[in-house]
Amino acid sequence: MVQLLKSGVKLLPIPVAMVAVLFLTGCSSLRLPAEVKTVTKIEKITIPTVARPKPVQLNDVRVYVVNKEIYEEFVQEFTEENGELAFVALSMKDYENLALNIAELRRYINQQKNIIVYYEEAVTDKEKEE
């Protein structure tokens, strides 16, 4: 099956030669489309939103303002209503700082709430809601 040429080189059998030719040419003999089209599809990621926590329910707090003129009357009325008398004293500057701190907490909570609402709206489908 193998033949020798005059130069001493062996000829490969025909089936092996055909396979080699097909292997070396690869897919070049196939016709490919002249233009390759790339299609970009944007998919929105859906992140499940979590229910918001229930609102804070605060208890009523009474603040009594007492000065020297009404001190005796206040002590008598207060002990009759509540039993024991205890004092918590704040200077005017400390009371002002307490009010500013509460306002700062409210600002921070409102900003956090706005951020949460923004992300919830960003991940929900508006078409489904409408």
Side-chain angles (χ1 to χ4, degrees), residues 41-130:
K41 182 179 179 184
I42 299 173
E43 291 188 18
K44 193 171 189 178
I45 298 173
T46 55
I47 300 172
T49 56
V50 180
R52 292 189 183 178
K54 68 178 189 175
V56 177
Q57 294 179 351
L58 301 175
N59 298 322
D60 291 335
V61 177
R62 295 182 188 173
V63 177
Y64 301 97
V65 178
V66 182
N67 58 21
K68 292 179 186 179
E69 298 162 2
I70 61 166
Y71 175 75
E72 295 296 329
E73 180 184 338
F74 172 76
V75 170
Q76 183 180 1
E77 289 178 11
F78 190 86
T79 52
E80 288 174 3
E81 283 183 28
N82 300 309
E84 293 188 30
L85 179 67
F87 289 103
V88 176
L90 292 174
S91 69
M92 292 307 286
K93 182 66 177 167
D94 290 334
Y95 183 76
E96 181 181 333
N97 289 341
L98 179 64
L100 291 173
N101 289 343
I102 291 172
E104 183 70 10
L105 285 171
R106 289 188 68 205
R107 179 205 53 83
Y108 177 78
I109 291 170
N110 286 333
Q111 285 179 345
Q112 289 295 324
K113 183 179 172 184
N114 291 338
I115 290 170
I116 292 170
V117 168
Y118 170 77
Y119 282 118
E120 284 179 351
E121 289 175 356
V123 298
T124 54
D125 290 336
K126 292 180 181 176
E127 295 172 1
K128 289 182 182 177
E129 291 177 359
E130 295 174 359

